[in-house]
Each structure stands twice: as structure tokens, then as C-alpha cells.
Amino acid sequence: MIPKNYPRVIIEAVQPQIDCGRFPIKRVVDEKVVVSADIYKESHDKLAAVVKYRKHGAKVWQENPMVFVDNDRWQGEFEVAEIGPWEYTVEGYAERYLSWVDEITKKNVPGAILTSELLEGLAILKTSAGLAKGEDKAQLNAQIATIEGMMADEDQEVAIDQAICSTMQRLMAKYPDRSEGAECTPALQVYVIRPITRFAAWYEFFPRSQSTVYGQHGTLQDSRRRLADIKQMGFDVIYLPPIHPIGHAFRKGKNNSLVANPDDVGSPWAIGNEHGGHMALEPKLGTWSDWDQFVATCRELKIEIALDYVMNCSPDHPYVTKHPDWFYHRPDGSIKYAENPPKKYQDVYPLNFGTEDREGLWKEMLKIFLFWIEKGVTTFRVDNPHTKPVSFWEWVIAEVHKKHPQVVFLAEAFTKPKMMRLLAKAGFAQSYTYFTWRDSKQDLTDYVSELTAGPMKDYFTGNFFANTPDILPPILQIGGRPAFIMRAVLAATLSTVYGIYSGYELCENEPIPGKEEYLDSEKYEIKQRDWNAPGNIVAVITRINKIRRERPALHNYNDVAFLAADNPQIIAYYKMTADRSDIVICVVNLDPFGKQSSFIHLPLEKMGIREDEQFQAHDMLSDERYLWSGRTAYVELSPSGKMAHIFKIYRW
Amino acid sequence: MIPKNYPRVIIEAVQPQIDCGRFPIKRVVDEKVVVSADIYKESHDKLAAVVKYRKHGAKVWQENPMVFVDNDRWQGEFEVAEIGPWEYTVEGYAERYLSWVDEITKKNVPGAILTSELLEGLAILKTSAGLAKGEDKAQLNAQIATIEGMMADEDQEVAIDQAICSTMQRLMAKYPDRSEGAECTPALQVYVIRPITRFAAWYEFFPRSQSTVYGQHGTLQDSRRRLADIKQMGFDVIYLPPIHPIGHAFRKGKNNSLVANPDDVGSPWAIGNEHGGHMALEPKLGTWSDWDQFVATCRELKIEIALDYVMNCSPDHPYVTKHPDWFYHRPDGSIKYAENPPKKYQDVYPLNFGTEDREGLWKEMLKIFLFWIEKGVTTFRVDNPHTKPVSFWEWVIAEVHKKHPQVVFLAEAFTKPKMMRLLAKAGFAQSYTYFTWRDSKQDLTDYVSELTAGPMKDYFTGNFFANTPDILPPILQIGGRPAFIMRAVLAATLSTVYGIYSGYELCENEPIPGKEEYLDSEKYEIKQRDWNAPGNIVAVITRINKIRRERPALHNYNDVAFLAADNPQIIAYYKMTADRSDIVICVVNLDPFGKQSSFIHLPLEKMGIREDEQFQAHDMLSDERYLWSGRTAYVELSPSGKMAHIFKIYRW
């Protein structure tokens, strides 16, 4: 048997593409998707190609022409105008008219008899005339008649001119005969996300700590009153740890002690008691109407709510009695608590994703998401997704997106690199990163380049948290206030999405000795803070967030460009808009203890700055201005003064 | 709907793999295929993996264990024991027993009650006992009984020891419970080729030029008498241009002139006349019995025959009358001759692969291959495959391989890089290359590295021809004898497969002025030669081929390693066997006009040579020996003396 179809136009290596098209790339709404592909064919035919795209489910493709780049590589682009899933592909075809124009032009030497060639040309013109519409159709047919007339008069020269003239080329380009072509199948997928997914400042806080009355359990109303200050600092997203009822059995006491006092509030991550589980509110936080008011105020202030999604159940969780089969059992029939031998977490039961009642469990997990979306939550920070099957996440995120394509999932997966990447491919729009532990110049450069300049930038958005309730990194423990400023600048400018956990602005840094854990961690007790405590860096953070909002260059996640700096303690990098109209250069002192100075080296060509040109570097943090010219600039930063520059480049 | 299966073991990035598995990789029979993959899973379960492989069509998989390398990467290997198509894949699974051993070992602290854990362990042991066979089964069951006994006696310590002892671990490794695992599907393909595909010296000659009687048309018998000399020079494959009847219509005269004299023999590439077409012999060459004797002598001498496969038809070809619909027609009904405007080739009709009778044409093209295979041809040099649909080649090569997996196809595609690669992916085991035009050190280094050190080495074997009847490259035109020696050494040592076209050993280099074409080209006339002509380099070529045969390092196509040499006119590189027992260093003077000297720098670690060690470099071309030590060596080469060294490194 010979093959039924035998594509003669070859289409290969379509980019962007993840794992042979297995997963969608991600783009922000209204962003351009630049598509390239190898397109070629046996023989010397002229080719043409289009990139085709449509919203998922749409019948008809839209298409844009692709242009030849070099070495059989073609490129085109399209815009994704709506959030949700889209698809795109590439079609290439033999451009019979252009091939013919090329042939007859070469053959058209004095004395050549080209009647036969002209007849072939007419056939091609007629095919396109058949495809043409209205005005164009008429014009094409008229032109064809003219050419036939000239051929009758044996006026070959003019007939050829008429057939290849620019008018004809313009018309023919609109109605090509694509019968000899090929399309890349299956189509590739792109998931279109909201801008806030790719540009946002996050602030994490515990509602129960927000009371202004000493020793009192904070409420959603207390939290609501905090929102204005948080917005004032310039944050776009507030992230709330679980706000559900907390289990009693094996409740953890202060500093994670195994025995809790009666008044200990316990860990919000041990979810569920007699008041309910994942779809209930901890009564001490307030009522559903308090929640609704909280959501309303967030809406007014344009603050987005990110809720923690945690699959732990306390032994008191309603599921335990209603669905014992959703949990792991010991041979004696008792339910297994979480363990990481020799560590035991008796206050938490993990769920068994392989349970006989997988249908029931998985759909319930989906229901929790849908419930909170109805309640006004649009972002979920998912706790430890890497300990559940990835295929569950791929399914549940797709199910949520069917009804709510705008919902954002952040993967809190502090695990091995390949699992972190896979979770992002499977649907998580944002991911926690290793940033928290990267503090040397080399490590920061390598890691940020991996995230923003490699294949990951097509599907993985790193949310750079400077601290979390679980992580007080060594650099903050030892570096104090200068380190807090330094790390805030790095987080906020190296990535477009970053966050802090409340207390950061107060430079809280007392650890459990020898650990990365906070002493008297808020995970196990209520913490009340004086937001005006001396030494706070609220003003700095406010400034950083303002600069981020105002500078378009800092909205660009991709391709952070590092600058050579002679001093290993000084890290320098720049971002700019595609049109180079906005250039921001960041210079940070990585040494929280000492003054550091360095020459930094500027790639003027890339910035579009002339070698002999004078330009102004305006430090938007300190409001100081420097006049620079040439390829090198001198910088000096110190803990006692400035730890960082964020320069805007002014040219005139 | 929730997904039916939800693989928890992830298998990604299986290597080697071409275009997402679309095409097979190639390996030589008995070669090892090293397979690696990312294999991981949510949670902390221990994993195990195997590489599975089988001859295409075999029911059962064979398998070898994979070992963990690093960062979720696993590696294994298998051998391909027969030529033809094979397939391979990777299976990974949760190793429940090892995970359990790990868990209970960690939990087994003084005072711990582990009855429940032991019961879970017993369940795992019993599952494996169920899978076990004969002796092992008995032993496992006995051990299980022992453990149960000890548990009855509440002798937990010993019970655990018995369950995790080395005997058990050995037994359990043989019968793992793979129920929680995943396999990479579809399987990947590897096509296994004969050794001669990857290591051979080719010699091209025109049978009609082999008569020893001046002016007489040579025959297959004349050619047969030449074979001993060719074998004597060390060639393994003889390549014959077409030996079919040659058309009369528009026959080309000497030097490609449009008008032929009555006695002009014409171009063998214009196939077909009243004596037949592609399945006939040019009568002047002899009869089928002459052919059979020719083949027999080749067999005796262990010379392989490569026949030219050319899809041109002369206007006199039987197909033209029998199957006019296989050709392109002009509007006036006449058949189209080949053109590359403004060039015309009236003596040749191209075939139309899109003909209505595609079934008839394609099967006839297949028939030609099968016909000549029956006649003793095992290799085909395919003329201009890039001007036919690639899907035709993929089909026809697969069809031939169904019956004759040993047949080798060489693509004569001097075209753009991506088409050359695609033809190799589609089934051509060997390809012509750009080597003929690469003569600067940088160009040679870049190109050879691209072929032998990149993805191409898995599917593309470059056959380095130093010259062809169509190509007399500038370097040979201007460089004379020294250039012929230099290019022969480069071709024969940079690739494991190389060739020359007869006349090369006589340093024939008279071009049509300003062209790469030979003057008085043998394509259009008979050429008779004095094989002992003064200045011939038969002895050098014989020596080169002898060195190639004797040195295992020169049988290794992959990873040609270039050495730093201070002089840009001196190129140096080495090859070695995997065990480093055979190391060959080549040093070539790229300047055919002048003496050149240079220090070359040796990566001693890679060669496994100590810094303080003395070793001998034996130039197998000149039989001179040098005593070397350390990282640099001095070389001096000149046209009047030696143009190249081929050193074997001796250590003691």
C-alpha cells in the first residue's frame, strides 16, 4: 500500500512548544505570540505560510501571514485577545503563482516562445479567480480576459507583463491556491492568563493576628481595617493562610510543641472540626457576612484575594467520619496520620488519591475550589502540590478553568526542579521558587537566567517570596535591616511577581536557633505587631512598589539582562521595554555588613545608546541623579547608606 | 469526568529520540543503545526503572534495569543483536518494598511499636511471593512464615531484620510489584544497520571507461578485471554510475554539448532506449551473465556494489510510451523535459510523483530497487532525492527494508541543511555532505562537530567524498598533488565513511575554466587512464585505507575531538576507543603550497595519559616515531615532504 496522503510541504520545529505540544504555553491577555517554524519542500517551488489561531472551541481559524527569515525558518505572530485556552498552528503551501512568475521571468528571454507557459499561468489565475470574492473576482476575471485577448493577438510580451504586474501580485496573494500544502497537527495550545498573574506584589498575613486589642483573636473585620494600609504599601494581592475551623485532636501548641494549652489557637493548616471543614469559616474569625464585607472592601481597593488551598484534614474533619475511605488505613483499621519518618504529624490526616472512591474524592476537591470562587476568591495558593498526583492537578485546574478561566493557581512546591516545572506545565500559573535561598551573585544570575531566559519562561512564572511563615532564610537572620532592604529590591525587580509575609516590613528575624523557622512562629500563635515600630522599612517597600508600577520595563518578566560588575558583592542587571523607550538598571549590594563599590559595564548597543552620548541615571529609590556616558559607571553602596539603586535612564 | 488512569510515575525526556519519536534513531548491529530518562513521582516513594526493547514484531519485551544518575535522571542500555527495526521504551514504577524498608528502618527506634508497619510489609512480601517462581517462591514463602512466627512471639526486632536482610532484598528485587508504574508510549524506534554502513571506503568508477584497448567501450568484464586493484587499494564499496541503456534523443555530446556526434556515448544519467530502461543493461557493457560474473567476483573480493538509482527518463525510455501519464505535460499535450530556468535538459524527462497513477508509478519505482537487489546490489546511491517528495522515500525505503533490511541507501542530496537532515531521518543510512567544499580549519571543525557531536550523529552518517564526477573543488584544482593527499587524509579520518571518484589517485584536476566541473568530463565520454602515471598517489591511499582498517579508533564515527593548534593552517584532532586502548591523532597541513609548523595541545586527562608520562607517537603514514611527553607537541608539515601525520599513540 502506498500512503494516502504524502505531504510535500514539510513543517517542523514549530516554536514555542512544550514537550512536543503535550502542554500549553502561557501568555498574558493581549500579548503577542511569536511563532516560528521550519517550512520547506522538495524542488524549487516558492512557498508561503500562515500562522493560524483561534479561541478554544471556535470553529474558524484566524490567520496571519508568516515571513521567511533564513535557512528555511519562517516567523509570524498573533495576539491573544481573551483569557482562557487558545490554539495555534502553522500552514505552509506551495505558492503556485509566485513560482510561475519566477519561472516565466527567467524564461522570458528574447525569442523565447512561452505560449505553453502562459497557458499554465492562466490556469493558475483562473483557480484563484474561482476563490476570489466580489470586486476582486471581477477584477481578476477581467484581467484574465485581457491576457487571453493579448495571447490571441500573439502579444506575448504584454500578456506576460499583465500576468505578473504588481496589481496581479497583490490580488493573487489574497487568493492563493493552497491545494498543495500542509498543516502542522495537532494544533498547539496556549493558555491566556490575566496580567496580574504576571505582574503583582503579594502580601501574606494571618487574619487572626490583626486585632488591635492586645491578646484578642483577630477577625475578618480587623483584617478588613488593615487592607487600606496594605494597599497603601502598594500590594495587589493579599494571601490568607487557611481560615477554616482548626482541629482539636493533637493540636500543636506554641513553637510546634506536641502538647497545646487550652488557649492555644493551633495551626490553620490542620483543617476541620465540629464547625466544618474546607468550606467553613473559623467562627472566631467571624461570619459569612463578615467575609462578604471583607471581599467587598478588597474589591473597592482593587486588592485580589489569594486563599490557601490545603488538602490536610485534622482528625476532627467531617470527612473523617463521612468518608473514612478517602484516607489511608493501617492494618488495624485506624486512619494513618501524616509522617515523614521519624517525624510524626498526628494532627493531620493525608488524603488517599488512589482511594476506591476516587470519583467522590476528586470531585469534592474540585467543589472546594468552586465554592471559594463563588465566595470571591480568584487566586489559590496551593499547599504542597508535589505530594499529590500531578494528573490530579492537571484535571482539577482544567475543570475550574472551564467555568472560571480567570482563576490563578500558585504552586507552593519547594521540591526538586523537574517536579516544579511539571506542575507549572500542568496548569499552575505561578510557582514558588528557590529565590529565598539564592543570595550569591553567581547563584542569583544563574537561577534568574534559567527562569526568565530559558524554555521555562513560556510556562513558569516565578513568584519571588522574600520570606514565608515557614522560611526565615539565613541572609535575613544575620543581615538584619540592610538585608531586608536588599532582598526586597532583588525580589521586586528580578521577578515581576514577588511577595513578603507580614513582619518583613518590621525586619522580624528571630529564628529558632540553628533553623530557618521563626521563633514563636505565627503558625501556632497569634502575633500582634506595632506597624510603626522603629527601624521598619514600610517607606522603602512602598517606594519599591511605586517604582514597579510606574516603570513599564519592570513589568517585563522575560530576559533579565545581567551586567558585568567587577565586584562580586555587587550585582547589576537591567530590564527594558521592547522599544527600548524605558530602561531600568538595578544595582544591589549583596553584602549587608560592608560598603561595596564597583564599576558596572553597560552594553550601550543593546540599550540603543551612543558611545559618546551623555545620559542621566535617576535613582528612583533615593531620587539622586547621576550624569553618565560611556560603557562603565561607578557605584558605591553601603548598609549605612543605600543598599541598592534602581535607576531610570533618561536620554535627551 | 475524572481521568480513568492517572500515571503517578512520570517519565519524560527519554533520550535518544528524534523529533518526538517521529523517526527512528540508527545504530550498528551489536552496538549498545544507551537510554536515559527523567523518572520521578509525587511523594518520597523509592523508584525503580527498566529499559525495554524488542525486535520489531516480537511479542515479548526484553528488559535491562536502569540506574539512578542524578536530578531524577535514570540511565540504562541494551544491545541490538540483529539488523532491521527495533523498538525501545522505558518503564518506571514505585518500588514498594524498598520504600517500606526505608520507612521501617527510620521508624525502628528503641521502644517503637511497629506491628502495623510489619503487617504492611508482609502484604508487600506476599504480593512478590505471588509473582515469584520455583525455588524463589518457596524461599520467599518460607521467609514470610518465619517472620509471621516471630511476630507471634512478639519478636519485632528479629522480624524486621528478617524482612529487610540482604537475602530478602535480592529476592524481592527479582519480583517487584509494578502495579504502580508507568511506561513511556508509544515506544521509540531504532533502525539497526550493517557495520559497513558506518565504516567503509568507497571507490566510484565508470565501467565503460575500463577497457584497456584504446578507444574501445569498456565492459563489465573489463571492470571485473579492475576489481583486484581497487580492493588492493583498500576499498570496500564500488559505486557504479547508471549502467542502463542511454537515450538517443537530445543526447549530450562531449563536455555537455547540446549536439552529440554519432559516436558520442552520452550521459548514463539519461536512462532508457529501445533496449529498455531502469531494469536493463547497456548492451555495450555486456550481458546478464557478464553482470553475474562481475557480482561473483565482487563477492569473492568482499567488495560491495553500490548502484546509482536515478529517476530520470530519456525521451526514449519505455515508460514514456507505456506510461505517458507518469510525466508532466504541457498544455499542448507534449511531455515536459527537465528545466532549471534558463537551463534546459531536453534529454531528460522528470517523473510526476503526483500523477493520477501514483499507485502505479510508486510501485514501479519500488520494483526497480527489488530487481537490482535480486541481481546482487545491496547499496543504492540515490541521485537527487531532494527533488522528490520525502514521503516517497520514507515509504519506498521501508518497503525495501521489509524484505531486505540490509540494504543501504545513500542520499546524493547537495541541498539545504534541513532537507539533508530530513532525508536521513526518513531512512537514508548515508548522506553526501558539504565536506567537499570545507577546507578552512574553522569550517572543517564546525562542520565535523555538527555531524559527529550533535543530534545528527543518531541518524545521519556523512559519507565524505573528496571528489565526484560533478565536483572538482577549487582546493584540488589549485592545490595539486599535495592537496589530493591532504584531502584524502581528511576525508578518510574525519569520517569513518569516505570515497573518491576514479582519477583522484592520479590527481586529475583540469577543470572547465571558472567551474567546478571536470574538463572533458567522463559523464559524457569514455576516459581511459594509465593507473601507473607518474605522480599518482595510489600508494598513499592504499596506506591510508590500511591504517583505517587496522586502527579501531578510526572505526568510531562519533565525537571527533579537535585539538588546539597555534597555527591556523594546521588542523589536529584525535579519535579513540571507548576504553582509550587505541588513540589516533591526526595532524594535517591545510596549506598545499607551503611548509607549516605548529604546537598542538593534548588533553592528557581525556586520553588517560599522565602529565609526567613519556609516550610514543608513531606516524603510520611515514612510519616515523616520536617520543612525546606533556601537553604540547611540535609538528612540521610541508608539500615537499609530508602533508599529514596519522599518529598511533603507544604507551608502556
Side-chain angles (χ1 to χ4, degrees), chain A residues 4 20 72 339 358 416, chain B residues 4 20 72 107 358 416:
Chain A
K4 274 212 175 32
C20 306
D72 292 327
E339 287 184 281
R358 205 153 59 79
K416 293 181 289 177
Chain B
K4 274 211 175 31
C20 306
D72 292 326
K107 287 185 174 179
R358 206 153 58 78
K416 293 182 289 179

Side-chain angles (χ1 to χ4, degrees), chain B residues 78-90:
Chain B
F78 64 95
E79 266 186 26
V80 280
E82 274 177 61
I83 59 171
W86 290 60
E87 54 185 350
Y88 60 99
T89 187
V90 167

Side-chain angles (χ1 to χ4, degrees), chain B residues 229-267:
Chain B
D229 290 354
I230 295 168
K231 185 68 182 182
Q232 184 56 41
M233 270 192 288
F235 291 98
D236 314 292
V237 179
I238 51 158
Y239 153 36
L240 309 176
I243 52 178
H244 316 303
I246 297 169
H248 309 291
F250 302 99
R251 174 177 288 194
K252 296 292 175 69
K254 293 189 170 65
N255 285 305
N256 201 19
S257 59
L258 288 177
V259 195
N261 299 328
D263 61 340
D264 275 333
V265 287
S267 160

Side-chain angles (χ1 to χ4, degrees), chain A residues 416, chain B residues 37 39-40 47-49 65-76:
Chain A
K416 293 181 289 177
Chain B
I39 305 175
Y40 56 99
L47 296 179
M66 297 180 84
V67 297
F68 176 77
V69 182
D70 180 31
N71 187 21
D72 292 326
R73 196 79 182 156
W74 292 67
Q75 181 167 306

